[in-house]
Each structure stands twice: as C-alpha cells, then as structure tokens.
Amino acid sequence: MTDLIKRLCLLNGTSGREDEVRNFIINEIKDYADSLSVDNLGNLIVFKKGRKRAKNKIMLDAHMDEVAFMITCINSDGTLSFESVGGINTAVMTGIPVSVGKDKISGVIGVLPIHLTPKDKKQDLPSKSSLCIDIGAASYEEARKVVSPGDCAYFDSDFVQFGDGYLKSKALDDRAGCAMLIALIKEELEYDAYFTFSAGEEVGYGAAGAAAFTVKPDYAIVCETTTAADLAGVDENKKVCRLKCGGAVSFMDRRTVYSKDMFDLALDTANKLGIPAQPKTMVAGGNNAGHIHKTAGGIKTVTVSVPCRYLHSPSCVVSVDDVYSSLNLVRALIGELADA
Amino acid sequence: MDLCQTLFGLAEASGTSGQEYITAGYALDLLSKFMPAHVDALGSVVGENDGEGCHYLLDAHLDSIGLVVTGIEENGFLRVDKCGGTDARVLPAHEVIVHGKEKVYGVITSIPPHLARDEGKKAAGFDEIMIDTGLDGDKAKEIIRVGDRATFVSYYGKMLNNTVRGAYFDDKAGMCAVLRCLEILKENNCNKKLSVLFSAQEETGGSGAAAAGFRCEADKSISVDVSFAKTSDTPKDITASLGKGTMIGFSPVLSYSMSCELKALAEKKNIPYQLEIMPDSTGTNADNLAVAAGGRKAALLSIPMKNMHTPVETVSLDDIEATARLMAEYIMNDGGLEA
C-alpha cells in the first residue's frame, strides 16, 4: 500500500491535467476491473463485479487531481507569474522548489531576503501576486523557449516515510483515496461496486457530479483526505481530526449536509467492527460529496477522510494506520449499503 | 573540479553555527588535497602551506543558518528558535533534519487556514512553529536534546544559464570558490605562501574568523561570501545580477588599494565582475579579519545570490568560477602589478 501511494503521489496531475495519474491507475487496475471508461471530463469510471449482486448500487469516489500552479504570464525579466490551481496558502509557497512543465524544469518561488525586508514587514507574508517562479532565465525570450503560459508547475517534493509510521509527500490529497480504491478493485469484492476516479476536485467545478450522473448510484462513498490540526498546543475543539485515530467521517462541511443516518451508519459500523474512526469535528472544507449528493435526483453520500496534516502543501503528512483503517471502514460500508 | 558536484556535496554536509563539525570533516578532506589543515578551537577549518612571498589568507565561512531545538513536547513536536538569520516566513511545510544522537527527519508545522492569524497575511513566528518528528514524546527525548540543531532538507536543481538552486549555498559557494582557486594555483605551480580559513560562526557574529584571524600572520586577506542579487522586488541599491560576475567589494573596512587592484586585474584578464559598494562595514568576515591581531589589508569578493537564507538559495556557477579565477590571478600576480 505504501509503495502504491508513493508511486501515485510522485505523479504530477493537477485539475484538468489528470492524464498521467489516470493512465497509471488504468494500468494498475485493468486486469482486475470488469469494465472501465473515461468520460468527456476525464473521469475514470470503473465497474467491478463482486461475489454477490448488490441490492443497491454503490459508488466510491476519489479524486485524481492535486493542487499545483499554473503559469499565467512570462515576464520581461524571465520570471514566470502564476496562479494556484486549488487553494494553496502563501505561507507554504514562499521559498519553495518547484518543477515546471512537462520537462520538469527546476525552478523556485523566491522571496525578498529577510535582510532586505523592512523591519516592520519581517513577519508579513508576501502578497500572492508579488510572487513569481524563477527558472534561471534572464529574459522573456529565454523563458519562452522552454515554458508557455498555461503550463503547470508542481511542488518539488519527495515521498518520505518517517517517525512512527507516517508518510510525507505532495499530493497525498487525494492519491491516498485513489490508492484505497485501487486496493479495493484488486481485491475480491463481496458486492458489485462502481468506482469513480474523478477530475477537477481541487477547483470544485463538479466533474465528479457528472460521473455520478453517469453511474446513478443509490449510495456514494467519498474517499478523501481532510485537514488535521492535531499539533501540540492546539485547542481540542480546533483540531478537526487527529492522526492515528482512524478515518474521519463528516456530518457537515462547507458543501454538504450529510444524512444523519449515513453519518451514524459509518461510525456505528466502525464501532461494531472495532475499526478506528472519528467524526470530523469542524464544519470546514468541502469535497466531491458536494456535487455527488445533488446529482441525478439526489444520492445519499458519506465521506471518509484520511486525516492529513499540512494539507495542500509540499509536505502533506498522513499515518499509514489511518489509510488502512479508512480502507477497512469503506470496505465494510460497501457491505452495509449494498444490502441496506 | 566539478563545481556543481563540489557545491552540492558541501551544501549537503551543512551544519549550523556551533555545529560546524558536521561540515568540517568533509571540508578538511577537500582542503587537505592542497595543504596541511586542521580544525581549530572554535571549529574552523584552517590550512597553511609553506610557500613564499606575500602571505595571503583566503576565507569563506563554514557554518549555516538553521534552527535550534528549545523544547520537546509530549507528542514529538519540537519547539524551535532560529540559529543565525533564519527567515520564519519560508519555514512552514519545509523538511528538516534534526541533528540529535542520530539524524531525525521532520516537517516544519504549517498552521491550517482555520487557525491562521490575520487571514493568513502574517507568517507564523518562531514561538508558533514546531518540527513534527512523527515520534512519540519519549522516543523523541531519547534521541533529541534541547540545543540540538536542525538543517533544511535541500532539493538541489540545475536551472537555466548555469544557475543552481538548493539550501546552504551561503557560504558553500564561497568555499567552493576558494577550493577552485587553490586548484587553479596548483595547475599554475604557484608557490605563494597561503593560508585558508573555513571559518565557524559567521552567521552568529563572526567569532570564528575573529579567533582564527588572530593566529594567522597573513599580510592580506580575501574573504568570499555571498551577497544579494537583483530581483524585481529588491531595493534600487541592489544592482548585481546573477551570472554577471564576481562582486568586488568597496567599503571603508576593506583595503581600497586591494579593491582597486582586483578591479583593474578583472578588467585586464577579462574576468566578469560587478561592484558592491558598502559605505559602512561589510557585515561579513572581512570586518573581523581586517582588525584581527595587528590588522591586515582585507578584500571581499561576493557571489551574487537570490533568495538568501531560504531553502532555495540560487547562485550561478559562472560567478563562482569568476570569483575563483580573480582570486587566483590576484595571488599569482601579487595584486596584478607584474601581470
């Protein structure tokens, strides 16, 4: 599982540019799936037969895209102006290494050295619009030879296993979810199930909703990652969820009010089977459930998220145990919902 | 000498001020190829040959900025403060190695948006950021002790125009220039009397250079450090560009005659150069070396750098080569008068 997550995370694929990730996934699962198709938006839709026919149609979703940067303009001094694709805080893009375009050109998002920063501004983060990517080009012409506006730049960040069972990488949101779905497809399932590896979640335009319309399931399970703020010194009520406490189940976020029965079912199932799980204790964030639950006359949806520290940064951190716990909970939920 | 390989090798072995022993072994190996060398009481690497004529001291600093552990929380999060002029704005979500009893990998915490102050416009201060080691508190305490240092994990990269990015080119680029200068001198069978100082504790005030400068009997010193290169947001008095040559320093602290000789020699030998005008002291080891013991003529060459004191310091290998060549020519020609 760890190796699968590693290989997924090291692929570059931001919203609308999921090709590399999708091709990798297709290659992983093609011998295990009963059918697969890629729709007009780039969603990968997979069907896998189980030992039993499901009474209710179940769909599992994980998104393939990751947050990144898009080059908007090449400046006269050879630097590249950019916008973030998905929400990235200035705090985690200041002074970082990036990899630009298909050829993975080394670059940096620079910052005015602290020595030259006026005293009263030393703690101010630079404004997003003032930041640019430097690839060492000395002029517009030099940069234009290797980069074009619309090209994307990615966090240059290795996959690392560290501490007591933690993984650190870019793109764990949501390659961790993709890895869970791939693992399930490779298993012998008890019930038939549909899987959507969806496009464009980080910019929220609703590609997953279109995939759900195509599948028209009775129930959807969204496999995600979510912010964990379980740092030393943070108040208990602000932690959202904690690493090593299992998958986080949402009752409400910024895009979805989840059915109470779905939320209860997830936590009760975990409790019954002794699978670590926790409620996500803050109404924050949002995910593909926001589009899926409104699709095709309404789909009852539940979200199980792997808790992730430093989400949307070059150094997302998750616990391997939580990936397994989330996977176990999701597998159990397929059974519960298929027969419900 | 492969400049890029030497630079990345030195940078990878970086130690913070006071923990230069992490770099010293590697630096000693490299320097010993040219002259007998040892580590002095403050941790500086010092070498001296038995040449003749005017005695030159070449200096670059050995230490790097970083973090120092100030506390260990129950759940393996480390409280930290800066060691040297570390920039808190660039720390969140960067990776570090904590130099405890063994090396421990960690991630610097990044405060999630819902907890950020001032809508995320202010950077977290050193009182707010921690290192996440992923260890439980007891295990962390077994390996790590308050006072241990942490250094950045570096993502080295070659960029356009022979520029490179990575952590700790300040002042490994300077050390690299000194070593390349020694190589050029050796190739030219130069037998001038030379001392080399890879000085400790520059980032925390220059104690290493002050102490070693006291012992060294050189008549003239040339320090090599990095300095600011122009970017779109630098003040207008920052005029040097990356890749346009070594920066020859002019300052009341520095020997005016040496600065002028270096400039004339660069012109004569077609070595790319730029001027760095500092109407006050230089803020480098040159300040200490000029007045150590009975005083000596000091010069300063700087390698232009972008993003100083961040994990993505950027320099041009061409500027390192130009710096090395100018130093070598200066020594071989005794200031250029006989050239």
Side-chain angles (χ1 to χ4, degrees), chain B residues 33-62:
Chain B
K33 287 176 190 161
F34 300 101
M35 58 181 64
H38 67 279
V39 178
D40 80 0
L42 265 64
S44 298
V45 173
V46 184
E48 191 167 306
N49 71 4
D50 49 3
E52 51 200 43
C54 178
H55 182 176
Y56 294 97
L57 168 63
L58 306 180
D59 157 74
H61 71 84
L62 189 61

PDB file of all heavy atoms in Angstrom, chain B residues 33-62:
ATOM      1  N   LYS B  33      43.846  18.188   0.277  1.00  0.00           N
ATOM      2  CA  LYS B  33      44.425  17.859  -1.031  1.00  0.00           C
ATOM      3  C   LYS B  33      45.404  18.950  -1.473  1.00  0.00           C
ATOM      4  O   LYS B  33      46.207  18.741  -2.363  1.00  0.00           O
ATOM      5  CB  LYS B  33      43.322  17.729  -2.086  1.00  0.00           C
ATOM      6  CG  LYS B  33      42.509  16.463  -1.917  1.00  0.00           C
ATOM      7  CD  LYS B  33      41.373  16.423  -2.929  1.00  0.00           C
ATOM      8  CE  LYS B  33      40.442  15.267  -2.580  1.00  0.00           C
ATOM      9  NZ  LYS B  33      39.131  15.430  -3.208  1.00  0.00           N
ATOM     10  N   PHE B  34      45.266  20.134  -0.860  1.00  0.00           N
ATOM     11  CA  PHE B  34      46.101  21.264  -1.278  1.00  0.00           C
ATOM     12  C   PHE B  34      47.133  21.682  -0.237  1.00  0.00           C
ATOM     13  O   PHE B  34      48.156  22.253  -0.571  1.00  0.00           O
ATOM     14  CB  PHE B  34      45.209  22.471  -1.616  1.00  0.00           C
ATOM     15  CG  PHE B  34      44.241  22.200  -2.724  1.00  0.00           C
ATOM     16  CD1 PHE B  34      42.912  21.914  -2.454  1.00  0.00           C
ATOM     17  CD2 PHE B  34      44.660  22.199  -4.049  1.00  0.00           C
ATOM     18  CE1 PHE B  34      42.015  21.654  -3.474  1.00  0.00           C
ATOM     19  CE2 PHE B  34      43.770  21.940  -5.083  1.00  0.00           C
ATOM     20  CZ  PHE B  34      42.444  21.663  -4.794  1.00  0.00           C
ATOM     21  N   MET B  35      46.858  21.454   1.034  1.00  0.00           N
ATOM     22  CA  MET B  35      47.767  21.913   2.091  1.00  0.00           C
ATOM     23  C   MET B  35      47.419  21.210   3.405  1.00  0.00           C
ATOM     24  O   MET B  35      46.311  20.714   3.564  1.00  0.00           O
ATOM     25  CB  MET B  35      47.642  23.440   2.262  1.00  0.00           C
ATOM     26  CG  MET B  35      46.239  23.898   2.605  1.00  0.00           C
ATOM     27  SD  MET B  35      46.099  25.686   2.776  1.00  0.00           S
ATOM     28  CE  MET B  35      46.469  26.244   1.134  1.00  0.00           C
ATOM     29  N   PRO B  36      48.391  21.161   4.338  1.00  0.00           N
ATOM     30  CA  PRO B  36      48.076  20.594   5.653  1.00  0.00           C
ATOM     31  C   PRO B  36      46.990  21.430   6.317  1.00  0.00           C
ATOM     32  O   PRO B  36      47.027  22.667   6.239  1.00  0.00           O
ATOM     33  CB  PRO B  36      49.395  20.718   6.425  1.00  0.00           C
ATOM     34  CG  PRO B  36      50.441  21.018   5.413  1.00  0.00           C
ATOM     35  CD  PRO B  36      49.773  21.683   4.261  1.00  0.00           C
ATOM     36  N   ALA B  37      46.034  20.778   6.943  1.00  0.00           N
ATOM     37  CA  ALA B  37      44.918  21.520   7.534  1.00  0.00           C
ATOM     38  C   ALA B  37      44.469  20.867   8.829  1.00  0.00           C
ATOM     39  O   ALA B  37      44.718  19.678   9.060  1.00  0.00           O
ATOM     40  CB  ALA B  37      43.762  21.576   6.544  1.00  0.00           C
ATOM     41  N   HIS B  38      43.850  21.643   9.699  1.00  0.00           N
ATOM     42  CA  HIS B  38      43.329  21.122  10.967  1.00  0.00           C
ATOM     43  C   HIS B  38      42.089  21.894  11.370  1.00  0.00           C
ATOM     44  O   HIS B  38      41.732  22.901  10.753  1.00  0.00           O
ATOM     45  CB  HIS B  38      44.400  21.227  12.053  1.00  0.00           C
ATOM     46  CG  HIS B  38      44.729  22.647  12.420  1.00  0.00           C
ATOM     47  ND1 HIS B  38      45.589  23.429  11.678  1.00  0.00           N
ATOM     48  CD2 HIS B  38      44.295  23.428  13.439  1.00  0.00           C
ATOM     49  CE1 HIS B  38      45.679  24.631  12.223  1.00  0.00           C
ATOM     50  NE2 HIS B  38      44.904  24.660  13.299  1.00  0.00           N
ATOM     51  N   VAL B  39      41.429  21.422  12.415  1.00  0.00           N
ATOM     52  CA  VAL B  39      40.256  22.122  12.951  1.00  0.00           C
ATOM     53  C   VAL B  39      40.708  22.859  14.207  1.00  0.00           C
ATOM     54  O   VAL B  39      41.350  22.271  15.084  1.00  0.00           O
ATOM     55  CB  VAL B  39      39.135  21.124  13.288  1.00  0.00           C
ATOM     56  CG1 VAL B  39      37.927  21.848  13.893  1.00  0.00           C
ATOM     57  CG2 VAL B  39      38.699  20.367  12.031  1.00  0.00           C
ATOM     58  N   ASP B  40      40.387  24.148  14.318  1.00  0.00           N
ATOM     59  CA  ASP B  40      40.854  24.911  15.477  1.00  0.00           C
ATOM     60  C   ASP B  40      39.859  24.863  16.641  1.00  0.00           C
ATOM     61  O   ASP B  40      38.831  24.178  16.568  1.00  0.00           O
ATOM     62  CB  ASP B  40      41.232  26.343  15.082  1.00  0.00           C
ATOM     63  CG  ASP B  40      40.028  27.278  14.948  1.00  0.00           C
ATOM     64  OD1 ASP B  40      38.876  26.825  15.164  1.00  0.00           O
ATOM     65  OD2 ASP B  40      40.239  28.465  14.628  1.00  0.00           O
ATOM     66  N   ALA B  41      40.167  25.603  17.705  1.00  0.00           N
ATOM     67  CA  ALA B  41      39.393  25.509  18.944  1.00  0.00           C
ATOM     68  C   ALA B  41      37.919  25.888  18.763  1.00  0.00           C
ATOM     69  O   ALA B  41      37.044  25.360  19.445  1.00  0.00           O
ATOM     70  CB  ALA B  41      40.026  26.399  20.019  1.00  0.00           C
ATOM     71  N   LEU B  42      37.632  26.795  17.837  1.00  0.00           N
ATOM     72  CA  LEU B  42      36.237  27.218  17.643  1.00  0.00           C
ATOM     73  C   LEU B  42      35.518  26.428  16.558  1.00  0.00           C
ATOM     74  O   LEU B  42      34.362  26.683  16.242  1.00  0.00           O
ATOM     75  CB  LEU B  42      36.174  28.721  17.328  1.00  0.00           C
ATOM     76  CG  LEU B  42      35.917  29.611  18.551  1.00  0.00           C
ATOM     77  CD1 LEU B  42      37.058  29.525  19.541  1.00  0.00           C
ATOM     78  CD2 LEU B  42      35.649  31.033  18.154  1.00  0.00           C
ATOM     79  N   GLY B  43      36.232  25.480  15.946  1.00  0.00           N
ATOM     80  CA  GLY B  43      35.587  24.635  14.940  1.00  0.00           C
ATOM     81  C   GLY B  43      35.860  25.062  13.513  1.00  0.00           C
ATOM     82  O   GLY B  43      35.321  24.476  12.577  1.00  0.00           O
ATOM     83  N   SER B  44      36.678  26.086  13.326  1.00  0.00           N
ATOM     84  CA  SER B  44      37.034  26.494  11.970  1.00  0.00           C
ATOM     85  C   SER B  44      38.030  25.497  11.388  1.00  0.00           C
ATOM     86  O   SER B  44      38.822  24.901  12.126  1.00  0.00           O
ATOM     87  CB  SER B  44      37.697  27.876  11.979  1.00  0.00           C
ATOM     88  OG  SER B  44      36.803  28.849  12.469  1.00  0.00           O
ATOM     89  N   VAL B  45      38.005  25.342  10.077  1.00  0.00           N
ATOM     90  CA  VAL B  45      38.983  24.505   9.380  1.00  0.00           C
ATOM     91  C   VAL B  45      40.074  25.442   8.852  1.00  0.00           C
ATOM     92  O   VAL B  45      39.775  26.392   8.127  1.00  0.00           O
ATOM     93  CB  VAL B  45      38.328  23.719   8.227  1.00  0.00           C
ATOM     94  CG1 VAL B  45      39.374  22.992   7.395  1.00  0.00           C
ATOM     95  CG2 VAL B  45      37.306  22.730   8.781  1.00  0.00           C
ATOM     96  N   VAL B  46      41.304  25.187   9.270  1.00  0.00           N
ATOM     97  CA  VAL B  46      42.404  26.101   8.959  1.00  0.00           C
ATOM     98  C   VAL B  46      43.508  25.340   8.245  1.00  0.00           C
ATOM     99  O   VAL B  46      43.902  24.261   8.676  1.00  0.00           O
ATOM    100  CB  VAL B  46      42.989  26.702  10.268  1.00  0.00           C
ATOM    101  CG1 VAL B  46      44.073  27.721   9.943  1.00  0.00           C
ATOM    102  CG2 VAL B  46      41.891  27.343  11.100  1.00  0.00           C
ATOM    103  N   GLY B  47      43.979  25.902   7.133  1.00  0.00           N
ATOM    104  CA  GLY B  47      45.088  25.269   6.410  1.00  0.00           C
ATOM    105  C   GLY B  47      46.186  26.282   6.130  1.00  0.00           C
ATOM    106  O   GLY B  47      45.926  27.485   6.054  1.00  0.00           O
ATOM    107  N   GLU B  48      47.425  25.793   6.031  1.00  0.00           N
ATOM    108  CA  GLU B  48      48.522  26.701   5.694  1.00  0.00           C
ATOM    109  C   GLU B  48      49.586  25.915   4.939  1.00  0.00           C
ATOM    110  O   GLU B  48      49.928  24.801   5.330  1.00  0.00           O
ATOM    111  CB  GLU B  48      49.113  27.304   6.970  1.00  0.00           C
ATOM    112  CG  GLU B  48      50.073  28.455   6.683  1.00  0.00           C
ATOM    113  CD  GLU B  48      50.421  29.254   7.945  1.00  0.00           C
ATOM    114  OE1 GLU B  48      49.476  29.710   8.628  1.00  0.00           O
ATOM    115  OE2 GLU B  48      51.612  29.404   8.230  1.00  0.00           O
ATOM    116  N   ASN B  49      50.082  26.484   3.843  1.00  0.00           N
ATOM    117  CA  ASN B  49      51.159  25.817   3.111  1.00  0.00           C
ATOM    118  C   ASN B  49      52.496  26.450   3.491  1.00  0.00           C
ATOM    119  O   ASN B  49      52.546  27.380   4.300  1.00  0.00           O
ATOM    120  CB  ASN B  49      50.915  25.881   1.597  1.00  0.00           C
ATOM    121  CG  ASN B  49      51.112  27.277   1.034  1.00  0.00           C
ATOM    122  OD1 ASN B  49      51.511  28.194   1.757  1.00  0.00           O
ATOM    123  ND2 ASN B  49      50.832  27.459  -0.236  1.00  0.00           N
ATOM    124  N   ASP B  50      53.605  25.939   2.918  1.00  0.00           N
ATOM    125  CA  ASP B  50      54.881  26.581   3.237  1.00  0.00           C
ATOM    126  C   ASP B  50      55.462  27.228   1.985  1.00  0.00           C
ATOM    127  O   ASP B  50      56.577  26.955   1.572  1.00  0.00           O
ATOM    128  CB  ASP B  50      55.858  25.593   3.900  1.00  0.00           C
ATOM    129  CG  ASP B  50      55.944  24.292   3.117  1.00  0.00           C
ATOM    130  OD1 ASP B  50      55.290  24.216   2.055  1.00  0.00           O
ATOM    131  OD2 ASP B  50      56.656  23.382   3.558  1.00  0.00           O
ATOM    132  N   GLY B  51      54.671  28.082   1.386  1.00  0.00           N
ATOM    133  CA  GLY B  51      55.131  28.820   0.208  1.00  0.00           C
ATOM    134  C   GLY B  51      55.945  30.038   0.611  1.00  0.00           C
ATOM    135  O   GLY B  51      56.381  30.176   1.753  1.00  0.00           O
ATOM    136  N   GLU B  52      56.141  30.918  -0.354  1.00  0.00           N
ATOM    137  CA  GLU B  52      56.971  32.099  -0.085  1.00  0.00           C
ATOM    138  C   GLU B  52      56.297  33.386  -0.594  1.00  0.00           C
ATOM    139  O   GLU B  52      55.271  33.337  -1.260  1.00  0.00           O
ATOM    140  CB  GLU B  52      58.343  31.922  -0.732  1.00  0.00           C
ATOM    141  CG  GLU B  52      58.272  31.520  -2.199  1.00  0.00           C
ATOM    142  CD  GLU B  52      59.576  30.898  -2.684  1.00  0.00           C
ATOM    143  OE1 GLU B  52      60.174  30.061  -1.936  1.00  0.00           O
ATOM    144  OE2 GLU B  52      60.001  31.232  -3.800  1.00  0.00           O
ATOM    145  N   GLY B  53      56.903  34.501  -0.259  1.00  0.00           N
ATOM    146  CA  GLY B  53      56.391  35.805  -0.705  1.00  0.00           C
ATOM    147  C   GLY B  53      55.291  36.315   0.202  1.00  0.00           C
ATOM    148  O   GLY B  53      55.128  35.854   1.329  1.00  0.00           O
ATOM    149  N   CYS B  54      54.540  37.266  -0.336  1.00  0.00           N
ATOM    150  CA  CYS B  54      53.432  37.863   0.412  1.00  0.00           C
ATOM    151  C   CYS B  54      52.494  36.742   0.886  1.00  0.00           C
ATOM    152  O   CYS B  54      52.177  35.825   0.135  1.00  0.00           O
ATOM    153  CB  CYS B  54      52.684  38.852  -0.487  1.00  0.00           C
ATOM    154  SG  CYS B  54      51.269  39.610   0.298  1.00  0.00           S
ATOM    155  N   HIS B  55      52.085  36.821   2.126  1.00  0.00           N
ATOM    156  CA  HIS B  55      51.264  35.764   2.723  1.00  0.00           C
ATOM    157  C   HIS B  55      49.778  36.133   2.592  1.00  0.00           C
ATOM    158  O   HIS B  55      49.337  37.140   3.136  1.00  0.00           O
ATOM    159  CB  HIS B  55      51.686  35.622   4.201  1.00  0.00           C
ATOM    160  CG  HIS B  55      50.970  34.537   4.942  1.00  0.00           C
ATOM    161  ND1 HIS B  55      51.276  34.213   6.238  1.00  0.00           N
ATOM    162  CD2 HIS B  55      49.981  33.689   4.584  1.00  0.00           C
ATOM    163  CE1 HIS B  55      50.490  33.228   6.647  1.00  0.00           C
ATOM    164  NE2 HIS B  55      49.701  32.902   5.652  1.00  0.00           N
ATOM    165  N   TYR B  56      49.039  35.320   1.849  1.00  0.00           N
ATOM    166  CA  TYR B  56      47.611  35.586   1.619  1.00  0.00           C
ATOM    167  C   TYR B  56      46.739  34.653   2.453  1.00  0.00           C
ATOM    168  O   TYR B  56      47.038  33.467   2.605  1.00  0.00           O
ATOM    169  CB  TYR B  56      47.253  35.375   0.142  1.00  0.00           C
ATOM    170  CG  TYR B  56      47.904  36.362  -0.792  1.00  0.00           C
ATOM    171  CD1 TYR B  56      49.078  36.031  -1.470  1.00  0.00           C
ATOM    172  CD2 TYR B  56      47.341  37.619  -1.007  1.00  0.00           C
ATOM    173  CE1 TYR B  56      49.676  36.930  -2.335  1.00  0.00           C
ATOM    174  CE2 TYR B  56      47.944  38.521  -1.872  1.00  0.00           C
ATOM    175  CZ  TYR B  56      49.098  38.178  -2.531  1.00  0.00           C
ATOM    176  OH  TYR B  56      49.684  39.070  -3.378  1.00  0.00           O
ATOM    177  N   LEU B  57      45.656  35.212   2.945  1.00  0.00           N
ATOM    178  CA  LEU B  57      44.643  34.397   3.642  1.00  0.00           C
ATOM    179  C   LEU B  57      43.363  34.408   2.813  1.00  0.00           C
ATOM    180  O   LEU B  57      42.828  35.474   2.475  1.00  0.00           O
ATOM    181  CB  LEU B  57      44.351  34.989   5.036  1.00  0.00           C
ATOM    182  CG  LEU B  57      43.122  34.445   5.774  1.00  0.00           C
ATOM    183  CD1 LEU B  57      43.276  32.958   6.086  1.00  0.00           C
ATOM    184  CD2 LEU B  57      42.871  35.229   7.058  1.00  0.00           C
ATOM    185  N   LEU B  58      42.886  33.224   2.465  1.00  0.00           N
ATOM    186  CA  LEU B  58      41.604  33.107   1.761  1.00  0.00           C
ATOM    187  C   LEU B  58      40.570  32.578   2.740  1.00  0.00           C
ATOM    188  O   LEU B  58      40.811  31.578   3.424  1.00  0.00           O
ATOM    189  CB  LEU B  58      41.723  32.146   0.572  1.00  0.00           C
ATOM    190  CG  LEU B  58      42.835  32.461  -0.435  1.00  0.00           C
ATOM    191  CD1 LEU B  58      42.817  31.422  -1.563  1.00  0.00           C
ATOM    192  CD2 LEU B  58      42.665  33.866  -0.985  1.00  0.00           C
ATOM    193  N   ASP B  59      39.431  33.244   2.798  1.00  0.00           N
ATOM    194  CA  ASP B  59      38.450  32.895   3.818  1.00  0.00           C
ATOM    195  C   ASP B  59      37.051  32.736   3.229  1.00  0.00           C
ATOM    196  O   ASP B  59      36.639  33.513   2.359  1.00  0.00           O
ATOM    197  CB  ASP B  59      38.440  34.001   4.887  1.00  0.00           C
ATOM    198  CG  ASP B  59      37.145  34.057   5.677  1.00  0.00           C
ATOM    199  OD1 ASP B  59      36.950  33.169   6.523  1.00  0.00           O
ATOM    200  OD2 ASP B  59      36.328  34.972   5.437  1.00  0.00           O
ATOM    201  N   ALA B  60      36.351  31.707   3.689  1.00  0.00           N
ATOM    202  CA  ALA B  60      34.915  31.572   3.408  1.00  0.00           C
ATOM    203  C   ALA B  60      34.323  30.897   4.637  1.00  0.00           C
ATOM    204  O   ALA B  60      35.019  30.158   5.327  1.00  0.00           O
ATOM    205  CB  ALA B  60      34.674  30.722   2.170  1.00  0.00           C
ATOM    206  N   HIS B  61      33.076  31.152   4.918  1.00  0.00           N
ATOM    207  CA  HIS B  61      32.575  30.588   6.190  1.00  0.00           C
ATOM    208  C   HIS B  61      31.935  29.222   6.031  1.00  0.00           C
ATOM    209  O   HIS B  61      31.339  28.885   5.017  1.00  0.00           O
ATOM    210  CB  HIS B  61      31.722  31.582   6.973  1.00  0.00           C
ATOM    211  CG  HIS B  61      30.367  31.887   6.400  1.00  0.00           C
ATOM    212  ND1 HIS B  61      29.279  31.095   6.641  1.00  0.00           N
ATOM    213  CD2 HIS B  61      29.928  32.922   5.647  1.00  0.00           C
ATOM    214  CE1 HIS B  61      28.219  31.640   6.053  1.00  0.00           C
ATOM    215  NE2 HIS B  61      28.586  32.743   5.441  1.00  0.00           N
ATOM    216  N   LEU B  62      32.120  28.466   7.092  1.00  0.00           N
ATOM    217  CA  LEU B  62      31.782  27.045   7.125  1.00  0.00           C
ATOM    218  C   LEU B  62      30.357  26.813   7.606  1.00  0.00           C
ATOM    219  O   LEU B  62      29.729  25.823   7.259  1.00  0.00           O
ATOM    220  CB  LEU B  62      32.763  26.395   8.120  1.00  0.00           C
ATOM    221  CG  LEU B  62      32.873  24.903   8.303  1.00  0.00           C
ATOM    222  CD1 LEU B  62      33.292  24.242   6.998  1.00  0.00           C
ATOM    223  CD2 LEU B  62      33.910  24.587   9.386  1.00  0.00           C
TER     224      LEU B  62
END
